[in-house]
Amino acid sequence: MTAEREVWRESLGVVLATSAYGISFGALAVASGLDVWQTCVLSLLMFTGGSQFAFVGVFTAGGVAALPSAIASAALLGVRNVAYGMRMSPIVGGGPVRKAAAAHFTIDESTAVAISQRDPRLRQVGFWVTGIGIFVGWNITTLVGALVGDVLGDPKAWGLDAAAAAAFLALLWPRLRQRQAVVVGIAAAVVAAAFTPMLMPGLPVLVAAVVAIAVGWFNWMGRPATSVETTDAGPEATS
């Protein structure tokens, strides 16, 4: 199997897992009081699963009176996409039009698949295939979930609430080859879990991101900087 076909396979696997989660959102959104049209427009325009679920969750709890809080919660969760955009800008390349189009597809999954590749061209393949694939699949399954929500019942009974988490674990596992990556993963998970009961949705993830920033800044448990520079310099560095 060629490297590009491998990236396509990885991307489509993430697309299928994440798109299945859209059924859960469609069903929950309709159950919260949104109609089918409003639910589909939300997926088309917002297109960031975590923010959509946060919006629907707060709206369900407080109704129209809680709309400002629902918007704030969704926006807070969407802050992470700004960081993703900064990371993905040099990978996407191109002019303003290309980058503006890429912004709508810059989500957790497309970013994760892209940066997991080493070749610049394969990073672009992973980004676009995953981003566009999930956009199409998510909107289709949102519509399906909204239409059959009453028949489907509780989406958690079908395990759809775990689809996105399973996809992320599949992406994360191959990267846990170095001690530094393992430490960051465990520490970030502990921090996020500890702050979840105390903070509003979205903040625990941002707090946990500080762990990765601190480890990367001080290079704790990583390779010495000199060895990295020597490796990157190539054969000329040893001559």
PDB file of all heavy atoms in Angstrom, residues 111-133:
ATOM      1  N   THR A 111      -7.088  18.344  11.722  1.00  0.00           N
ATOM      2  CA  THR A 111      -5.784  18.783  12.222  1.00  0.00           C
ATOM      3  C   THR A 111      -4.965  17.592  12.705  1.00  0.00           C
ATOM      4  O   THR A 111      -3.769  17.478  12.420  1.00  0.00           O
ATOM      5  CB  THR A 111      -5.967  19.791  13.364  1.00  0.00           C
ATOM      6  OG1 THR A 111      -6.726  20.910  12.900  1.00  0.00           O
ATOM      7  CG2 THR A 111      -4.618  20.273  13.879  1.00  0.00           C
ATOM      8  N   ALA A 112      -5.614  16.691  13.436  1.00  0.00           N
ATOM      9  CA  ALA A 112      -4.906  15.527  13.981  1.00  0.00           C
ATOM     10  C   ALA A 112      -4.356  14.636  12.875  1.00  0.00           C
ATOM     11  O   ALA A 112      -3.205  14.181  12.942  1.00  0.00           O
ATOM     12  CB  ALA A 112      -5.844  14.735  14.886  1.00  0.00           C
ATOM     13  N   VAL A 113      -5.165  14.371  11.851  1.00  0.00           N
ATOM     14  CA  VAL A 113      -4.706  13.510  10.762  1.00  0.00           C
ATOM     15  C   VAL A 113      -3.576  14.187   9.998  1.00  0.00           C
ATOM     16  O   VAL A 113      -2.589  13.545   9.620  1.00  0.00           O
ATOM     17  CB  VAL A 113      -5.868  13.173   9.813  1.00  0.00           C
ATOM     18  CG1 VAL A 113      -5.362  12.424   8.587  1.00  0.00           C
ATOM     19  CG2 VAL A 113      -6.919  12.331  10.520  1.00  0.00           C
ATOM     20  N   ALA A 114      -3.692  15.487   9.773  1.00  0.00           N
ATOM     21  CA  ALA A 114      -2.677  16.208   8.996  1.00  0.00           C
ATOM     22  C   ALA A 114      -1.324  16.203   9.700  1.00  0.00           C
ATOM     23  O   ALA A 114      -0.292  15.867   9.092  1.00  0.00           O
ATOM     24  CB  ALA A 114      -3.137  17.639   8.729  1.00  0.00           C
ATOM     25  N   ILE A 115      -1.301  16.561  10.970  1.00  0.00           N
ATOM     26  CA  ILE A 115      -0.008  16.686  11.644  1.00  0.00           C
ATOM     27  C   ILE A 115       0.596  15.330  11.986  1.00  0.00           C
ATOM     28  O   ILE A 115       1.768  15.258  12.372  1.00  0.00           O
ATOM     29  CB  ILE A 115      -0.130  17.540  12.919  1.00  0.00           C
ATOM     30  CG1 ILE A 115      -1.037  16.868  13.953  1.00  0.00           C
ATOM     31  CG2 ILE A 115      -0.633  18.934  12.589  1.00  0.00           C
ATOM     32  CD1 ILE A 115      -1.117  17.630  15.270  1.00  0.00           C
ATOM     33  N   SER A 116      -0.173  14.263  11.844  1.00  0.00           N
ATOM     34  CA  SER A 116       0.384  12.935  12.097  1.00  0.00           C
ATOM     35  C   SER A 116       1.208  12.421  10.917  1.00  0.00           C
ATOM     36  O   SER A 116       1.885  11.399  11.032  1.00  0.00           O
ATOM     37  CB  SER A 116      -0.738  11.937  12.410  1.00  0.00           C
ATOM     38  OG  SER A 116      -1.554  11.709  11.277  1.00  0.00           O
ATOM     39  N   GLN A 117       1.152  13.159   9.786  1.00  0.00           N
ATOM     40  CA  GLN A 117       1.939  12.770   8.614  1.00  0.00           C
ATOM     41  C   GLN A 117       3.274  13.512   8.613  1.00  0.00           C
ATOM     42  O   GLN A 117       3.368  14.628   9.112  1.00  0.00           O
ATOM     43  CB  GLN A 117       1.169  13.088   7.316  1.00  0.00           C
ATOM     44  CG  GLN A 117      -0.284  12.683   7.322  1.00  0.00           C
ATOM     45  CD  GLN A 117      -0.490  11.216   7.619  1.00  0.00           C
ATOM     46  OE1 GLN A 117       0.271  10.369   7.171  1.00  0.00           O
ATOM     47  NE2 GLN A 117      -1.546  10.914   8.383  1.00  0.00           N
ATOM     48  N   ARG A 118       4.276  12.909   8.039  1.00  0.00           N
ATOM     49  CA  ARG A 118       5.603  13.535   7.996  1.00  0.00           C
ATOM     50  C   ARG A 118       5.861  14.272   6.686  1.00  0.00           C
ATOM     51  O   ARG A 118       6.582  15.255   6.648  1.00  0.00           O
ATOM     52  CB  ARG A 118       6.685  12.476   8.209  1.00  0.00           C
ATOM     53  CG  ARG A 118       6.630  11.828   9.600  1.00  0.00           C
ATOM     54  CD  ARG A 118       7.794  10.878   9.806  1.00  0.00           C
ATOM     55  NE  ARG A 118       7.780  10.314  11.149  1.00  0.00           N
ATOM     56  CZ  ARG A 118       8.695   9.471  11.608  1.00  0.00           C
ATOM     57  NH1 ARG A 118       9.702   9.107  10.813  1.00  0.00           N
ATOM     58  NH2 ARG A 118       8.607   9.006  12.837  1.00  0.00           N
ATOM     59  N   ASP A 119       5.272  13.787   5.606  1.00  0.00           N
ATOM     60  CA  ASP A 119       5.481  14.411   4.298  1.00  0.00           C
ATOM     61  C   ASP A 119       4.505  15.577   4.119  1.00  0.00           C
ATOM     62  O   ASP A 119       3.309  15.428   4.384  1.00  0.00           O
ATOM     63  CB  ASP A 119       5.255  13.376   3.190  1.00  0.00           C
ATOM     64  CG  ASP A 119       5.520  13.960   1.820  1.00  0.00           C
ATOM     65  OD1 ASP A 119       6.699  14.058   1.441  1.00  0.00           O
ATOM     66  OD2 ASP A 119       4.541  14.331   1.131  1.00  0.00           O
ATOM     67  N   PRO A 120       4.979  16.759   3.680  1.00  0.00           N
ATOM     68  CA  PRO A 120       4.093  17.922   3.518  1.00  0.00           C
ATOM     69  C   PRO A 120       2.914  17.660   2.591  1.00  0.00           C
ATOM     70  O   PRO A 120       1.793  18.110   2.864  1.00  0.00           O
ATOM     71  CB  PRO A 120       5.027  18.995   2.946  1.00  0.00           C
ATOM     72  CG  PRO A 120       6.389  18.595   3.427  1.00  0.00           C
ATOM     73  CD  PRO A 120       6.386  17.101   3.423  1.00  0.00           C
ATOM     74  N   ARG A 121       3.140  16.930   1.509  1.00  0.00           N
ATOM     75  CA  ARG A 121       2.041  16.654   0.578  1.00  0.00           C
ATOM     76  C   ARG A 121       1.001  15.751   1.222  1.00  0.00           C
ATOM     77  O   ARG A 121      -0.204  15.954   1.050  1.00  0.00           O
ATOM     78  CB  ARG A 121       2.585  15.990  -0.693  1.00  0.00           C
ATOM     79  CG  ARG A 121       1.526  15.753  -1.771  1.00  0.00           C
ATOM     80  CD  ARG A 121       2.154  15.082  -2.973  1.00  0.00           C
ATOM     81  NE  ARG A 121       2.681  13.766  -2.635  1.00  0.00           N
ATOM     82  CZ  ARG A 121       1.927  12.666  -2.604  1.00  0.00           C
ATOM     83  NH1 ARG A 121       0.643  12.720  -2.885  1.00  0.00           N
ATOM     84  NH2 ARG A 121       2.468  11.496  -2.305  1.00  0.00           N
ATOM     85  N   LEU A 122       1.440  14.762   1.980  1.00  0.00           N
ATOM     86  CA  LEU A 122       0.512  13.865   2.651  1.00  0.00           C
ATOM     87  C   LEU A 122      -0.251  14.581   3.765  1.00  0.00           C
ATOM     88  O   LEU A 122      -1.388  14.225   4.070  1.00  0.00           O
ATOM     89  CB  LEU A 122       1.262  12.664   3.218  1.00  0.00           C
ATOM     90  CG  LEU A 122       1.920  11.740   2.186  1.00  0.00           C
ATOM     91  CD1 LEU A 122       2.617  10.581   2.882  1.00  0.00           C
ATOM     92  CD2 LEU A 122       0.891  11.226   1.186  1.00  0.00           C
ATOM     93  N   ARG A 123       0.364  15.588   4.344  1.00  0.00           N
ATOM     94  CA  ARG A 123      -0.347  16.380   5.340  1.00  0.00           C
ATOM     95  C   ARG A 123      -1.533  17.101   4.708  1.00  0.00           C
ATOM     96  O   ARG A 123      -2.619  17.167   5.299  1.00  0.00           O
ATOM     97  CB  ARG A 123       0.598  17.397   5.990  1.00  0.00           C
ATOM     98  CG  ARG A 123       1.599  16.781   6.953  1.00  0.00           C
ATOM     99  CD  ARG A 123       2.436  17.839   7.646  1.00  0.00           C
ATOM    100  NE  ARG A 123       3.229  17.248   8.721  1.00  0.00           N
ATOM    101  CZ  ARG A 123       3.992  17.937   9.552  1.00  0.00           C
ATOM    102  NH1 ARG A 123       4.052  19.264   9.435  1.00  0.00           N
ATOM    103  NH2 ARG A 123       4.668  17.336  10.502  1.00  0.00           N
ATOM    104  N   GLN A 124      -1.332  17.625   3.515  1.00  0.00           N
ATOM    105  CA  GLN A 124      -2.435  18.285   2.831  1.00  0.00           C
ATOM    106  C   GLN A 124      -3.526  17.290   2.453  1.00  0.00           C
ATOM    107  O   GLN A 124      -4.715  17.582   2.589  1.00  0.00           O
ATOM    108  CB  GLN A 124      -1.924  19.002   1.573  1.00  0.00           C
ATOM    109  CG  GLN A 124      -1.074  20.220   1.863  1.00  0.00           C
ATOM    110  CD  GLN A 124      -0.905  21.110   0.643  1.00  0.00           C
ATOM    111  OE1 GLN A 124      -1.506  20.881  -0.399  1.00  0.00           O
ATOM    112  NE2 GLN A 124      -0.079  22.141   0.767  1.00  0.00           N
ATOM    113  N   VAL A 125      -3.123  16.125   1.991  1.00  0.00           N
ATOM    114  CA  VAL A 125      -4.101  15.093   1.648  1.00  0.00           C
ATOM    115  C   VAL A 125      -4.927  14.722   2.875  1.00  0.00           C
ATOM    116  O   VAL A 125      -6.157  14.664   2.830  1.00  0.00           O
ATOM    117  CB  VAL A 125      -3.408  13.838   1.074  1.00  0.00           C
ATOM    118  CG1 VAL A 125      -4.410  12.704   0.908  1.00  0.00           C
ATOM    119  CG2 VAL A 125      -2.755  14.159  -0.262  1.00  0.00           C
ATOM    120  N   GLY A 126      -4.241  14.480   3.989  1.00  0.00           N
ATOM    121  CA  GLY A 126      -4.942  14.114   5.211  1.00  0.00           C
ATOM    122  C   GLY A 126      -5.892  15.198   5.676  1.00  0.00           C
ATOM    123  O   GLY A 126      -7.013  14.906   6.119  1.00  0.00           O
ATOM    124  N   PHE A 127      -5.459  16.448   5.570  1.00  0.00           N
ATOM    125  CA  PHE A 127      -6.303  17.560   6.012  1.00  0.00           C
ATOM    126  C   PHE A 127      -7.567  17.678   5.174  1.00  0.00           C
ATOM    127  O   PHE A 127      -8.681  17.715   5.703  1.00  0.00           O
ATOM    128  CB  PHE A 127      -5.526  18.873   5.945  1.00  0.00           C
ATOM    129  CG  PHE A 127      -6.373  20.089   6.203  1.00  0.00           C
ATOM    130  CD1 PHE A 127      -6.705  20.441   7.507  1.00  0.00           C
ATOM    131  CD2 PHE A 127      -6.858  20.853   5.152  1.00  0.00           C
ATOM    132  CE1 PHE A 127      -7.498  21.554   7.756  1.00  0.00           C
ATOM    133  CE2 PHE A 127      -7.661  21.964   5.387  1.00  0.00           C
ATOM    134  CZ  PHE A 127      -7.979  22.314   6.694  1.00  0.00           C
ATOM    135  N   TRP A 128      -7.412  17.736   3.849  1.00  0.00           N
ATOM    136  CA  TRP A 128      -8.567  17.982   2.985  1.00  0.00           C
ATOM    137  C   TRP A 128      -9.517  16.783   2.945  1.00  0.00           C
ATOM    138  O   TRP A 128     -10.740  16.954   2.983  1.00  0.00           O
ATOM    139  CB  TRP A 128      -8.106  18.342   1.573  1.00  0.00           C
ATOM    140  CG  TRP A 128      -7.486  19.698   1.475  1.00  0.00           C
ATOM    141  CD1 TRP A 128      -6.165  19.992   1.298  1.00  0.00           C
ATOM    142  CD2 TRP A 128      -8.160  20.957   1.575  1.00  0.00           C
ATOM    143  NE1 TRP A 128      -5.968  21.346   1.274  1.00  0.00           N
ATOM    144  CE2 TRP A 128      -7.170  21.968   1.439  1.00  0.00           C
ATOM    145  CE3 TRP A 128      -9.478  21.330   1.770  1.00  0.00           C
ATOM    146  CZ2 TRP A 128      -7.492  23.327   1.486  1.00  0.00           C
ATOM    147  CZ3 TRP A 128      -9.800  22.686   1.818  1.00  0.00           C
ATOM    148  CH2 TRP A 128      -8.812  23.660   1.677  1.00  0.00           C
ATOM    149  N   VAL A 129      -8.973  15.577   2.874  1.00  0.00           N
ATOM    150  CA  VAL A 129      -9.842  14.394   2.820  1.00  0.00           C
ATOM    151  C   VAL A 129     -10.641  14.269   4.119  1.00  0.00           C
ATOM    152  O   VAL A 129     -11.853  14.023   4.096  1.00  0.00           O
ATOM    153  CB  VAL A 129      -9.017  13.113   2.568  1.00  0.00           C
ATOM    154  CG1 VAL A 129      -9.905  11.869   2.701  1.00  0.00           C
ATOM    155  CG2 VAL A 129      -8.386  13.157   1.189  1.00  0.00           C
ATOM    156  N   THR A 130      -9.960  14.468   5.247  1.00  0.00           N
ATOM    157  CA  THR A 130     -10.649  14.345   6.531  1.00  0.00           C
ATOM    158  C   THR A 130     -11.649  15.475   6.734  1.00  0.00           C
ATOM    159  O   THR A 130     -12.801  15.241   7.126  1.00  0.00           O
ATOM    160  CB  THR A 130      -9.641  14.346   7.689  1.00  0.00           C
ATOM    161  OG1 THR A 130      -8.659  13.326   7.465  1.00  0.00           O
ATOM    162  CG2 THR A 130     -10.331  14.093   9.013  1.00  0.00           C
ATOM    163  N   GLY A 131     -11.217  16.715   6.478  1.00  0.00           N
ATOM    164  CA  GLY A 131     -12.088  17.858   6.714  1.00  0.00           C
ATOM    165  C   GLY A 131     -13.336  17.851   5.845  1.00  0.00           C
ATOM    166  O   GLY A 131     -14.461  17.987   6.347  1.00  0.00           O
ATOM    167  N   ILE A 132     -13.153  17.672   4.542  1.00  0.00           N
ATOM    168  CA  ILE A 132     -14.300  17.675   3.634  1.00  0.00           C
ATOM    169  C   ILE A 132     -15.162  16.441   3.857  1.00  0.00           C
ATOM    170  O   ILE A 132     -16.399  16.505   3.830  1.00  0.00           O
ATOM    171  CB  ILE A 132     -13.827  17.758   2.174  1.00  0.00           C
ATOM    172  CG1 ILE A 132     -13.124  19.106   1.932  1.00  0.00           C
ATOM    173  CG2 ILE A 132     -15.005  17.596   1.202  1.00  0.00           C
ATOM    174  CD1 ILE A 132     -12.529  19.255   0.549  1.00  0.00           C
ATOM    175  N   GLY A 133     -14.514  15.295   4.078  1.00  0.00           N
ATOM    176  CA  GLY A 133     -15.260  14.061   4.298  1.00  0.00           C
ATOM    177  C   GLY A 133     -16.161  14.152   5.516  1.00  0.00           C
ATOM    178  O   GLY A 133     -17.335  13.755   5.473  1.00  0.00           O
TER     179      GLY A 133
END
